[in-house]
Amino acid sequence: NSKVIQTPRYLVKGQGQKAKMRCIPEKGHPVVFWYQQNKNNEFKFLINFQNQEVLQQIDMTEKRFSAECPSNSPCSLEIQSSEAGDSALYLCASSWEQDTQYFGPGTRLLVL
Amino acid sequence: GDSVTQTEGLVTLTKGLPVMLNCTYQTTYSPFLFWYVQHLNEAPKLLLKSSTDNKRTEHQGFYATLHKSSSSFHLQKSSVQLSDSALYFCALIASGGNYKPTFGKGTSLVVHP
């Protein structure tokens, strides 16, 4: 069973507000991923880290999202100015290099 | 770039029947293929994985064989159960790709009594 912890489980924000969610990856996993799962259940990759360094991120993440994975602290994903289209399930996953991803339960964001 | 195609968005079956969920992929690198299952309101979790050509891998009654010649990794089960109702995602990790998996769009499997 996955031991990836995500908080909060639910988040409600108004448009333009900041929305921040956190993830504690499985102990020892060096790679952390953030995904957005939309209402059609499709996964959109947002960003991944190896240890504290960003490996890859999409344009949207560069512009409106900020994310970090500091050592000895939870990883975080923050939307600087929430939009209605950001309403989704945000999944964090961790893994060894190029292997199985272990997912957390997700943070469900609703932007009103 | 890499891609994963799952042709069925929804599969509806009666309990006890066999099922095959299709997954094909494209990559220029050596592939590592995964099937994840996501039950309602739960996190996705690994069902099967393989990077070995032509070797069948099995777990919880499900099985799949990676065929590099046809770029496929179809998921099968000989007799579905009600508890198999879930979303199934095929994913590809291609070596040399910053560890970023490529997911298919997912197949929703609904099993009726």
PDB file of all heavy atoms in Angstrom, chain A residues 31 33 35 37 41-43 45 48 50 55-56 97-101 103-104, chain B residues 32 36 38 43-44 46 49 87 89 94-96 98-101 103 105:
ATOM      1  N   VAL A  31      12.232  10.544  -6.555  1.00  0.00           N
ATOM      2  CA  VAL A  31      11.518  11.235  -7.640  1.00  0.00           C
ATOM      3  C   VAL A  31      10.071  11.481  -7.213  1.00  0.00           C
ATOM      4  O   VAL A  31       9.402  10.574  -6.720  1.00  0.00           O
ATOM      5  CB  VAL A  31      11.561  10.436  -8.951  1.00  0.00           C
ATOM      6  CG1 VAL A  31      10.967  11.268 -10.090  1.00  0.00           C
ATOM      7  CG2 VAL A  31      12.987  10.026  -9.297  1.00  0.00           C
ATOM      8  N   PHE A  33       6.324  13.385  -8.426  1.00  0.00           N
ATOM      9  CA  PHE A  33       5.539  13.877  -9.558  1.00  0.00           C
ATOM     10  C   PHE A  33       4.278  14.567  -9.043  1.00  0.00           C
ATOM     11  O   PHE A  33       3.691  14.153  -8.042  1.00  0.00           O
ATOM     12  CB  PHE A  33       5.069  12.712 -10.440  1.00  0.00           C
ATOM     13  CG  PHE A  33       6.158  11.840 -10.969  1.00  0.00           C
ATOM     14  CD1 PHE A  33       6.734  10.863 -10.178  1.00  0.00           C
ATOM     15  CD2 PHE A  33       6.583  11.968 -12.271  1.00  0.00           C
ATOM     16  CE1 PHE A  33       7.733  10.031 -10.665  1.00  0.00           C
ATOM     17  CE2 PHE A  33       7.574  11.141 -12.777  1.00  0.00           C
ATOM     18  CZ  PHE A  33       8.146  10.179 -11.972  1.00  0.00           C
ATOM     19  N   TYR A  35       0.478  15.531 -10.754  1.00  0.00           N
ATOM     20  CA  TYR A  35      -0.430  15.405 -11.886  1.00  0.00           C
ATOM     21  C   TYR A  35      -1.741  16.114 -11.555  1.00  0.00           C
ATOM     22  O   TYR A  35      -2.147  16.207 -10.401  1.00  0.00           O
ATOM     23  CB  TYR A  35      -0.779  13.940 -12.168  1.00  0.00           C
ATOM     24  CG  TYR A  35       0.366  13.065 -12.580  1.00  0.00           C
ATOM     25  CD1 TYR A  35       1.060  12.314 -11.639  1.00  0.00           C
ATOM     26  CD2 TYR A  35       0.738  12.959 -13.917  1.00  0.00           C
ATOM     27  CE1 TYR A  35       2.097  11.486 -12.024  1.00  0.00           C
ATOM     28  CE2 TYR A  35       1.780  12.131 -14.301  1.00  0.00           C
ATOM     29  CZ  TYR A  35       2.450  11.401 -13.353  1.00  0.00           C
ATOM     30  OH  TYR A  35       3.478  10.586 -13.725  1.00  0.00           O
ATOM     31  N   GLN A  37      -5.658  15.504 -12.475  1.00  0.00           N
ATOM     32  CA  GLN A  37      -6.604  14.569 -13.082  1.00  0.00           C
ATOM     33  C   GLN A  37      -7.924  15.293 -13.263  1.00  0.00           C
ATOM     34  O   GLN A  37      -8.554  15.714 -12.277  1.00  0.00           O
ATOM     35  CB  GLN A  37      -6.785  13.319 -12.227  1.00  0.00           C
ATOM     36  CG  GLN A  37      -7.587  12.232 -12.933  1.00  0.00           C
ATOM     37  CD  GLN A  37      -7.679  10.936 -12.145  1.00  0.00           C
ATOM     38  OE1 GLN A  37      -7.596  10.936 -10.920  1.00  0.00           O
ATOM     39  NE2 GLN A  37      -7.839   9.825 -12.845  1.00  0.00           N
ATOM     40  N   ASN A  41     -11.088  12.174 -16.100  1.00  0.00           N
ATOM     41  CA  ASN A  41     -10.143  11.221 -15.508  1.00  0.00           C
ATOM     42  C   ASN A  41      -8.799  11.153 -16.217  1.00  0.00           C
ATOM     43  O   ASN A  41      -8.017  10.239 -15.936  1.00  0.00           O
ATOM     44  CB  ASN A  41     -10.756   9.822 -15.410  1.00  0.00           C
ATOM     45  CG  ASN A  41     -11.923   9.791 -14.462  1.00  0.00           C
ATOM     46  OD1 ASN A  41     -11.823  10.267 -13.338  1.00  0.00           O
ATOM     47  ND2 ASN A  41     -13.039   9.252 -14.906  1.00  0.00           N
ATOM     48  N   GLU A  42      -8.529  12.089 -17.091  1.00  0.00           N
ATOM     49  CA  GLU A  42      -7.245  12.090 -17.793  1.00  0.00           C
ATOM     50  C   GLU A  42      -6.154  12.697 -16.911  1.00  0.00           C
ATOM     51  O   GLU A  42      -6.388  13.668 -16.200  1.00  0.00           O
ATOM     52  CB  GLU A  42      -7.354  12.881 -19.098  1.00  0.00           C
ATOM     53  CG  GLU A  42      -8.302  12.250 -20.099  1.00  0.00           C
ATOM     54  CD  GLU A  42      -8.616  13.178 -21.245  1.00  0.00           C
ATOM     55  OE1 GLU A  42      -8.248  14.365 -21.187  1.00  0.00           O
ATOM     56  OE2 GLU A  42      -9.233  12.697 -22.212  1.00  0.00           O
ATOM     57  N   PHE A  43      -4.964  12.116 -17.010  1.00  0.00           N
ATOM     58  CA  PHE A  43      -3.813  12.621 -16.262  1.00  0.00           C
ATOM     59  C   PHE A  43      -3.100  13.689 -17.071  1.00  0.00           C
ATOM     60  O   PHE A  43      -2.766  13.485 -18.233  1.00  0.00           O
ATOM     61  CB  PHE A  43      -2.808  11.496 -16.023  1.00  0.00           C
ATOM     62  CG  PHE A  43      -3.151  10.570 -14.912  1.00  0.00           C
ATOM     63  CD1 PHE A  43      -4.197   9.681 -15.029  1.00  0.00           C
ATOM     64  CD2 PHE A  43      -2.416  10.568 -13.742  1.00  0.00           C
ATOM     65  CE1 PHE A  43      -4.515   8.812 -13.999  1.00  0.00           C
ATOM     66  CE2 PHE A  43      -2.717   9.696 -12.706  1.00  0.00           C
ATOM     67  CZ  PHE A  43      -3.771   8.825 -12.845  1.00  0.00           C
ATOM     68  N   PHE A  45       0.421  15.660 -16.693  1.00  0.00           N
ATOM     69  CA  PHE A  45       1.666  15.830 -15.954  1.00  0.00           C
ATOM     70  C   PHE A  45       1.919  17.313 -15.737  1.00  0.00           C
ATOM     71  O   PHE A  45       1.783  18.120 -16.668  1.00  0.00           O
ATOM     72  CB  PHE A  45       2.817  15.209 -16.755  1.00  0.00           C
ATOM     73  CG  PHE A  45       4.187  15.564 -16.264  1.00  0.00           C
ATOM     74  CD1 PHE A  45       4.767  14.847 -15.235  1.00  0.00           C
ATOM     75  CD2 PHE A  45       4.891  16.619 -16.825  1.00  0.00           C
ATOM     76  CE1 PHE A  45       6.039  15.175 -14.781  1.00  0.00           C
ATOM     77  CE2 PHE A  45       6.154  16.961 -16.380  1.00  0.00           C
ATOM     78  CZ  PHE A  45       6.726  16.227 -15.355  1.00  0.00           C
ATOM     79  N   ASN A  48       7.945  17.281 -12.255  1.00  0.00           N
ATOM     80  CA  ASN A  48       8.570  16.257 -11.425  1.00  0.00           C
ATOM     81  C   ASN A  48       9.924  16.734 -10.908  1.00  0.00           C
ATOM     82  O   ASN A  48      10.547  17.638 -11.478  1.00  0.00           O
ATOM     83  CB  ASN A  48       8.657  14.891 -12.117  1.00  0.00           C
ATOM     84  CG  ASN A  48       9.512  14.871 -13.370  1.00  0.00           C
ATOM     85  OD1 ASN A  48       9.850  15.918 -13.927  1.00  0.00           O
ATOM     86  ND2 ASN A  48       9.855  13.683 -13.823  1.00  0.00           N
ATOM     87  N   GLN A  50      13.671  15.414  -8.907  1.00  0.00           N
ATOM     88  CA  GLN A  50      14.550  14.384  -8.384  1.00  0.00           C
ATOM     89  C   GLN A  50      15.308  15.008  -7.224  1.00  0.00           C
ATOM     90  O   GLN A  50      16.057  15.978  -7.427  1.00  0.00           O
ATOM     91  CB  GLN A  50      15.528  13.857  -9.433  1.00  0.00           C
ATOM     92  CG  GLN A  50      16.387  12.729  -8.883  1.00  0.00           C
ATOM     93  CD  GLN A  50      17.181  12.012  -9.940  1.00  0.00           C
ATOM     94  OE1 GLN A  50      17.376  12.521 -11.031  1.00  0.00           O
ATOM     95  NE2 GLN A  50      17.612  10.811  -9.627  1.00  0.00           N
ATOM     96  N   LEU A  55      13.009  18.306 -12.636  1.00  0.00           N
ATOM     97  CA  LEU A  55      13.439  17.561 -13.817  1.00  0.00           C
ATOM     98  C   LEU A  55      12.749  18.099 -15.069  1.00  0.00           C
ATOM     99  O   LEU A  55      13.372  18.334 -16.090  1.00  0.00           O
ATOM    100  CB  LEU A  55      13.122  16.073 -13.666  1.00  0.00           C
ATOM    101  CG  LEU A  55      13.990  15.271 -12.706  1.00  0.00           C
ATOM    102  CD1 LEU A  55      13.451  13.845 -12.584  1.00  0.00           C
ATOM    103  CD2 LEU A  55      15.432  15.244 -13.180  1.00  0.00           C
ATOM    104  N   GLN A  56      11.439  18.244 -14.957  1.00  0.00           N
ATOM    105  CA  GLN A  56      10.655  18.646 -16.128  1.00  0.00           C
ATOM    106  C   GLN A  56       9.371  19.299 -15.661  1.00  0.00           C
ATOM    107  O   GLN A  56       8.823  18.908 -14.627  1.00  0.00           O
ATOM    108  CB  GLN A  56      10.333  17.406 -16.969  1.00  0.00           C
ATOM    109  CG  GLN A  56       9.950  17.661 -18.392  1.00  0.00           C
ATOM    110  CD  GLN A  56       9.952  16.379 -19.221  1.00  0.00           C
ATOM    111  OE1 GLN A  56      10.352  15.312 -18.755  1.00  0.00           O
ATOM    112  NE2 GLN A  56       9.502  16.471 -20.447  1.00  0.00           N
ATOM    113  N   GLU A  97      13.840   5.718  -9.523  1.00  0.00           N
ATOM    114  CA  GLU A  97      14.053   6.156 -10.892  1.00  0.00           C
ATOM    115  C   GLU A  97      13.434   5.160 -11.865  1.00  0.00           C
ATOM    116  O   GLU A  97      13.647   3.976 -11.766  1.00  0.00           O
ATOM    117  CB  GLU A  97      15.558   6.283 -11.169  1.00  0.00           C
ATOM    118  CG  GLU A  97      16.212   7.322 -10.276  1.00  0.00           C
ATOM    119  CD  GLU A  97      17.722   7.277 -10.339  1.00  0.00           C
ATOM    120  OE1 GLU A  97      18.243   6.410 -11.073  1.00  0.00           O
ATOM    121  OE2 GLU A  97      18.366   8.089  -9.675  1.00  0.00           O
ATOM    122  N   GLN A  98      12.623   5.669 -12.795  1.00  0.00           N
ATOM    123  CA  GLN A  98      12.041   4.868 -13.871  1.00  0.00           C
ATOM    124  C   GLN A  98      11.409   3.579 -13.377  1.00  0.00           C
ATOM    125  O   GLN A  98      11.641   2.512 -13.941  1.00  0.00           O
ATOM    126  CB  GLN A  98      13.101   4.554 -14.921  1.00  0.00           C
ATOM    127  CG  GLN A  98      13.541   5.792 -15.668  1.00  0.00           C
ATOM    128  CD  GLN A  98      14.371   5.439 -16.878  1.00  0.00           C
ATOM    129  OE1 GLN A  98      15.226   4.572 -16.821  1.00  0.00           O
ATOM    130  NE2 GLN A  98      14.121   6.124 -17.969  1.00  0.00           N
ATOM    131  N   ASP A  99      10.610   3.702 -12.330  1.00  0.00           N
ATOM    132  CA  ASP A  99       9.940   2.513 -11.814  1.00  0.00           C
ATOM    133  C   ASP A  99       8.524   2.882 -11.386  1.00  0.00           C
ATOM    134  O   ASP A  99       8.040   3.975 -11.675  1.00  0.00           O
ATOM    135  CB  ASP A  99      10.738   1.902 -10.666  1.00  0.00           C
ATOM    136  CG  ASP A  99      10.457   0.427 -10.476  1.00  0.00           C
ATOM    137  OD1 ASP A  99       9.401  -0.054 -10.953  1.00  0.00           O
ATOM    138  OD2 ASP A  99      11.274  -0.244  -9.838  1.00  0.00           O
ATOM    139  N   THR A 100       7.898   1.958 -10.693  1.00  0.00           N
ATOM    140  CA  THR A 100       6.505   2.122 -10.267  1.00  0.00           C
ATOM    141  C   THR A 100       6.309   3.426  -9.519  1.00  0.00           C
ATOM    142  O   THR A 100       7.090   3.782  -8.647  1.00  0.00           O
ATOM    143  CB  THR A 100       6.119   0.965  -9.340  1.00  0.00           C
ATOM    144  OG1 THR A 100       6.364  -0.271 -10.014  1.00  0.00           O
ATOM    145  CG2 THR A 100       4.669   1.072  -8.927  1.00  0.00           C
ATOM    146  N   GLN A 101       5.212   4.098  -9.861  1.00  0.00           N
ATOM    147  CA  GLN A 101       4.841   5.289  -9.099  1.00  0.00           C
ATOM    148  C   GLN A 101       3.848   4.900  -8.020  1.00  0.00           C
ATOM    149  O   GLN A 101       2.937   4.100  -8.251  1.00  0.00           O
ATOM    150  CB  GLN A 101       4.198   6.318 -10.024  1.00  0.00           C
ATOM    151  CG  GLN A 101       5.193   6.908 -10.991  1.00  0.00           C
ATOM    152  CD  GLN A 101       4.565   7.982 -11.811  1.00  0.00           C
ATOM    153  OE1 GLN A 101       4.348   9.096 -11.349  1.00  0.00           O
ATOM    154  NE2 GLN A 101       4.243   7.658 -13.024  1.00  0.00           N
ATOM    155  N   PHE A 103       1.066   6.509  -5.629  1.00  0.00           N
ATOM    156  CA  PHE A 103       0.247   7.705  -5.601  1.00  0.00           C
ATOM    157  C   PHE A 103      -0.329   7.965  -4.221  1.00  0.00           C
ATOM    158  O   PHE A 103      -0.674   7.051  -3.483  1.00  0.00           O
ATOM    159  CB  PHE A 103      -0.926   7.569  -6.581  1.00  0.00           C
ATOM    160  CG  PHE A 103      -0.525   7.666  -8.022  1.00  0.00           C
ATOM    161  CD1 PHE A 103      -0.080   6.546  -8.712  1.00  0.00           C
ATOM    162  CD2 PHE A 103      -0.592   8.873  -8.698  1.00  0.00           C
ATOM    163  CE1 PHE A 103       0.285   6.629 -10.049  1.00  0.00           C
ATOM    164  CE2 PHE A 103      -0.233   8.971 -10.030  1.00  0.00           C
ATOM    165  CZ  PHE A 103       0.220   7.846 -10.700  1.00  0.00           C
ATOM    166  N   GLY A 104      -0.467   9.250  -3.916  1.00  0.00           N
ATOM    167  CA  GLY A 104      -1.237   9.642  -2.755  1.00  0.00           C
ATOM    168  C   GLY A 104      -2.715   9.699  -3.109  1.00  0.00           C
ATOM    169  O   GLY A 104      -3.094   9.526  -4.273  1.00  0.00           O
TER     170      GLY A 104
ATOM    171  N   PHE B  32       9.253   0.734 -20.773  1.00  0.00           N
ATOM    172  CA  PHE B  32       8.851   0.090 -19.527  1.00  0.00           C
ATOM    173  C   PHE B  32       7.363   0.400 -19.410  1.00  0.00           C
ATOM    174  O   PHE B  32       6.969   1.555 -19.347  1.00  0.00           O
ATOM    175  CB  PHE B  32       9.638   0.699 -18.367  1.00  0.00           C
ATOM    176  CG  PHE B  32       9.670  -0.108 -17.092  1.00  0.00           C
ATOM    177  CD1 PHE B  32      10.551   0.216 -16.077  1.00  0.00           C
ATOM    178  CD2 PHE B  32       8.801  -1.173 -16.884  1.00  0.00           C
ATOM    179  CE1 PHE B  32      10.601  -0.511 -14.898  1.00  0.00           C
ATOM    180  CE2 PHE B  32       8.842  -1.912 -15.710  1.00  0.00           C
ATOM    181  CZ  PHE B  32       9.744  -1.570 -14.712  1.00  0.00           C
ATOM    182  N   TYR B  36      -2.046   0.670 -14.287  1.00  0.00           N
ATOM    183  CA  TYR B  36      -2.501   1.141 -12.989  1.00  0.00           C
ATOM    184  C   TYR B  36      -4.016   1.004 -12.935  1.00  0.00           C
ATOM    185  O   TYR B  36      -4.703   1.209 -13.935  1.00  0.00           O
ATOM    186  CB  TYR B  36      -2.129   2.607 -12.758  1.00  0.00           C
ATOM    187  CG  TYR B  36      -0.650   2.856 -12.557  1.00  0.00           C
ATOM    188  CD1 TYR B  36       0.183   3.099 -13.633  1.00  0.00           C
ATOM    189  CD2 TYR B  36      -0.092   2.820 -11.285  1.00  0.00           C
ATOM    190  CE1 TYR B  36       1.539   3.327 -13.459  1.00  0.00           C
ATOM    191  CE2 TYR B  36       1.266   3.036 -11.089  1.00  0.00           C
ATOM    192  CZ  TYR B  36       2.067   3.291 -12.192  1.00  0.00           C
ATOM    193  OH  TYR B  36       3.407   3.500 -12.002  1.00  0.00           O
ATOM    194  N   GLN B  38      -7.487   2.364 -10.796  1.00  0.00           N
ATOM    195  CA  GLN B  38      -7.992   3.389  -9.872  1.00  0.00           C
ATOM    196  C   GLN B  38      -9.466   3.111  -9.593  1.00  0.00           C
ATOM    197  O   GLN B  38     -10.320   3.303 -10.470  1.00  0.00           O
ATOM    198  CB  GLN B  38      -7.815   4.776 -10.470  1.00  0.00           C
ATOM    199  CG  GLN B  38      -8.186   5.911  -9.526  1.00  0.00           C
ATOM    200  CD  GLN B  38      -7.952   7.279 -10.144  1.00  0.00           C
ATOM    201  OE1 GLN B  38      -7.902   7.432 -11.362  1.00  0.00           O
ATOM    202  NE2 GLN B  38      -7.812   8.302  -9.305  1.00  0.00           N
ATOM    203  N   ALA B  43      -6.739   6.259  -4.735  1.00  0.00           N
ATOM    204  CA  ALA B  43      -5.532   6.585  -5.498  1.00  0.00           C
ATOM    205  C   ALA B  43      -5.258   5.505  -6.538  1.00  0.00           C
ATOM    206  O   ALA B  43      -5.552   4.324  -6.307  1.00  0.00           O
ATOM    207  CB  ALA B  43      -4.346   6.699  -4.545  1.00  0.00           C
ATOM    208  N   PRO B  44      -4.688   5.868  -7.664  1.00  0.00           N
ATOM    209  CA  PRO B  44      -4.240   4.836  -8.610  1.00  0.00           C
ATOM    210  C   PRO B  44      -3.173   3.962  -7.954  1.00  0.00           C
ATOM    211  O   PRO B  44      -2.367   4.449  -7.151  1.00  0.00           O
ATOM    212  CB  PRO B  44      -3.621   5.648  -9.761  1.00  0.00           C
ATOM    213  CG  PRO B  44      -4.160   7.023  -9.618  1.00  0.00           C
ATOM    214  CD  PRO B  44      -4.393   7.226  -8.149  1.00  0.00           C
ATOM    215  N   LEU B  46      -0.486   0.356  -8.720  1.00  0.00           N
ATOM    216  CA  LEU B  46       0.074  -0.523  -9.734  1.00  0.00           C
ATOM    217  C   LEU B  46      -0.664  -1.850  -9.799  1.00  0.00           C
ATOM    218  O   LEU B  46      -0.944  -2.467  -8.778  1.00  0.00           O
ATOM    219  CB  LEU B  46       1.553  -0.785  -9.432  1.00  0.00           C
ATOM    220  CG  LEU B  46       2.233  -1.726 -10.417  1.00  0.00           C
ATOM    221  CD1 LEU B  46       2.443  -1.033 -11.758  1.00  0.00           C
ATOM    222  CD2 LEU B  46       3.547  -2.239  -9.854  1.00  0.00           C
ATOM    223  N   LYS B  49       3.472  -4.570 -14.369  1.00  0.00           N
ATOM    224  CA  LYS B  49       4.500  -3.828 -15.073  1.00  0.00           C
ATOM    225  C   LYS B  49       5.424  -4.802 -15.806  1.00  0.00           C
ATOM    226  O   LYS B  49       5.561  -5.959 -15.396  1.00  0.00           O
ATOM    227  CB  LYS B  49       5.323  -2.959 -14.132  1.00  0.00           C
ATOM    228  CG  LYS B  49       6.110  -3.730 -13.085  1.00  0.00           C
ATOM    229  CD  LYS B  49       6.900  -2.770 -12.204  1.00  0.00           C
ATOM    230  CE  LYS B  49       7.701  -3.518 -11.141  1.00  0.00           C
ATOM    231  NZ  LYS B  49       8.459  -2.589 -10.252  1.00  0.00           N
ATOM    232  N   LEU B  87     -11.209   2.318 -13.080  1.00  0.00           N
ATOM    233  CA  LEU B  87     -10.485   2.923 -14.199  1.00  0.00           C
ATOM    234  C   LEU B  87      -9.143   2.226 -14.348  1.00  0.00           C
ATOM    235  O   LEU B  87      -8.470   1.966 -13.352  1.00  0.00           O
ATOM    236  CB  LEU B  87     -10.223   4.404 -13.930  1.00  0.00           C
ATOM    237  CG  LEU B  87     -11.373   5.367 -14.114  1.00  0.00           C
ATOM    238  CD1 LEU B  87     -11.045   6.698 -13.470  1.00  0.00           C
ATOM    239  CD2 LEU B  87     -11.697   5.555 -15.582  1.00  0.00           C
ATOM    240  N   PHE B  89      -5.441   2.458 -16.329  1.00  0.00           N
ATOM    241  CA  PHE B  89      -4.548   3.322 -17.089  1.00  0.00           C
ATOM    242  C   PHE B  89      -3.303   2.552 -17.503  1.00  0.00           C
ATOM    243  O   PHE B  89      -2.673   1.889 -16.677  1.00  0.00           O
ATOM    244  CB  PHE B  89      -4.101   4.527 -16.250  1.00  0.00           C
ATOM    245  CG  PHE B  89      -5.194   5.483 -15.912  1.00  0.00           C
ATOM    246  CD1 PHE B  89      -5.895   5.357 -14.724  1.00  0.00           C
ATOM    247  CD2 PHE B  89      -5.524   6.513 -16.771  1.00  0.00           C
ATOM    248  CE1 PHE B  89      -6.914   6.243 -14.399  1.00  0.00           C
ATOM    249  CE2 PHE B  89      -6.535   7.407 -16.466  1.00  0.00           C
ATOM    250  CZ  PHE B  89      -7.238   7.263 -15.269  1.00  0.00           C
ATOM    251  N   ALA B  94       9.905   5.669 -20.865  1.00  0.00           N
ATOM    252  CA  ALA B  94      10.934   5.379 -21.860  1.00  0.00           C
ATOM    253  C   ALA B  94      12.288   5.767 -21.295  1.00  0.00           C
ATOM    254  O   ALA B  94      12.443   6.868 -20.763  1.00  0.00           O
ATOM    255  CB  ALA B  94      10.649   6.143 -23.145  1.00  0.00           C
ATOM    256  N   SER B  95      13.220   4.872 -21.369  1.00  0.00           N
ATOM    257  CA  SER B  95      14.538   5.137 -20.806  1.00  0.00           C
ATOM    258  C   SER B  95      15.140   6.390 -21.434  1.00  0.00           C
ATOM    259  O   SER B  95      15.024   6.615 -22.634  1.00  0.00           O
ATOM    260  CB  SER B  95      15.455   3.950 -21.041  1.00  0.00           C
ATOM    261  OG  SER B  95      15.599   3.698 -22.430  1.00  0.00           O
ATOM    262  N   GLY B  96      15.752   7.220 -20.605  1.00  0.00           N
ATOM    263  CA  GLY B  96      16.357   8.449 -21.098  1.00  0.00           C
ATOM    264  C   GLY B  96      15.398   9.611 -21.139  1.00  0.00           C
ATOM    265  O   GLY B  96      15.700  10.635 -21.732  1.00  0.00           O
ATOM    266  N   ASN B  98      13.854  11.515 -18.480  1.00  0.00           N
ATOM    267  CA  ASN B  98      13.619  12.283 -17.256  1.00  0.00           C
ATOM    268  C   ASN B  98      12.590  11.638 -16.338  1.00  0.00           C
ATOM    269  O   ASN B  98      11.948  12.341 -15.565  1.00  0.00           O
ATOM    270  CB  ASN B  98      13.169  13.716 -17.570  1.00  0.00           C
ATOM    271  CG  ASN B  98      14.337  14.586 -17.986  1.00  0.00           C
ATOM    272  OD1 ASN B  98      15.464  14.349 -17.574  1.00  0.00           O
ATOM    273  ND2 ASN B  98      14.075  15.570 -18.805  1.00  0.00           N
ATOM    274  N   TYR B  99      12.395  10.330 -16.453  1.00  0.00           N
ATOM    275  CA  TYR B  99      11.511   9.558 -15.587  1.00  0.00           C
ATOM    276  C   TYR B  99      10.049   9.935 -15.743  1.00  0.00           C
ATOM    277  O   TYR B  99       9.216   9.506 -14.957  1.00  0.00           O
ATOM    278  CB  TYR B  99      11.902   9.686 -14.115  1.00  0.00           C
ATOM    279  CG  TYR B  99      13.379   9.577 -13.871  1.00  0.00           C
ATOM    280  CD1 TYR B  99      14.029  10.475 -13.047  1.00  0.00           C
ATOM    281  CD2 TYR B  99      14.123   8.571 -14.465  1.00  0.00           C
ATOM    282  CE1 TYR B  99      15.384  10.373 -12.820  1.00  0.00           C
ATOM    283  CE2 TYR B  99      15.488   8.471 -14.241  1.00  0.00           C
ATOM    284  CZ  TYR B  99      16.110   9.372 -13.418  1.00  0.00           C
ATOM    285  OH  TYR B  99      17.454   9.283 -13.194  1.00  0.00           O
ATOM    286  N   LYS B 100       9.698  10.738 -16.707  1.00  0.00           N
ATOM    287  CA  LYS B 100       8.319  11.203 -16.827  1.00  0.00           C
ATOM    288  C   LYS B 100       7.484  10.166 -17.568  1.00  0.00           C
ATOM    289  O   LYS B 100       7.714   9.902 -18.729  1.00  0.00           O
ATOM    290  CB  LYS B 100       8.294  12.516 -17.597  1.00  0.00           C
ATOM    291  CG  LYS B 100       6.915  13.027 -17.952  1.00  0.00           C
ATOM    292  CD  LYS B 100       7.039  14.285 -18.762  1.00  0.00           C
ATOM    293  CE  LYS B 100       5.751  14.699 -19.439  1.00  0.00           C
ATOM    294  NZ  LYS B 100       5.298  13.773 -20.450  1.00  0.00           N
ATOM    295  N   PRO B 101       6.498   9.566 -16.887  1.00  0.00           N
ATOM    296  CA  PRO B 101       5.644   8.590 -17.567  1.00  0.00           C
ATOM    297  C   PRO B 101       4.670   9.282 -18.508  1.00  0.00           C
ATOM    298  O   PRO B 101       4.271  10.417 -18.286  1.00  0.00           O
ATOM    299  CB  PRO B 101       4.883   7.922 -16.424  1.00  0.00           C
ATOM    300  CG  PRO B 101       5.505   8.403 -15.176  1.00  0.00           C
ATOM    301  CD  PRO B 101       6.150   9.713 -15.498  1.00  0.00           C
ATOM    302  N   PHE B 103       0.900   8.659 -19.834  1.00  0.00           N
ATOM    303  CA  PHE B 103      -0.297   7.891 -19.518  1.00  0.00           C
ATOM    304  C   PHE B 103      -1.248   7.867 -20.702  1.00  0.00           C
ATOM    305  O   PHE B 103      -1.380   8.866 -21.436  1.00  0.00           O
ATOM    306  CB  PHE B 103      -1.035   8.501 -18.325  1.00  0.00           C
ATOM    307  CG  PHE B 103      -0.447   8.148 -16.991  1.00  0.00           C
ATOM    308  CD1 PHE B 103       0.632   8.857 -16.482  1.00  0.00           C
ATOM    309  CD2 PHE B 103      -0.969   7.110 -16.238  1.00  0.00           C
ATOM    310  CE1 PHE B 103       1.183   8.536 -15.260  1.00  0.00           C
ATOM    311  CE2 PHE B 103      -0.421   6.776 -15.004  1.00  0.00           C
ATOM    312  CZ  PHE B 103       0.655   7.482 -14.517  1.00  0.00           C
ATOM    313  N   LYS B 105      -5.327   7.577 -21.902  1.00  0.00           N
ATOM    314  CA  LYS B 105      -6.496   8.321 -21.420  1.00  0.00           C
ATOM    315  C   LYS B 105      -7.346   7.524 -20.448  1.00  0.00           C
ATOM    316  O   LYS B 105      -8.260   8.070 -19.835  1.00  0.00           O
ATOM    317  CB  LYS B 105      -7.350   8.784 -22.601  1.00  0.00           C
ATOM    318  CG  LYS B 105      -6.661   9.847 -23.434  1.00  0.00           C
ATOM    319  CD  LYS B 105      -7.600  10.464 -24.447  1.00  0.00           C
ATOM    320  CE  LYS B 105      -6.907  11.634 -25.140  1.00  0.00           C
ATOM    321  NZ  LYS B 105      -7.812  12.339 -26.081  1.00  0.00           N
TER     322      LYS B 105
END
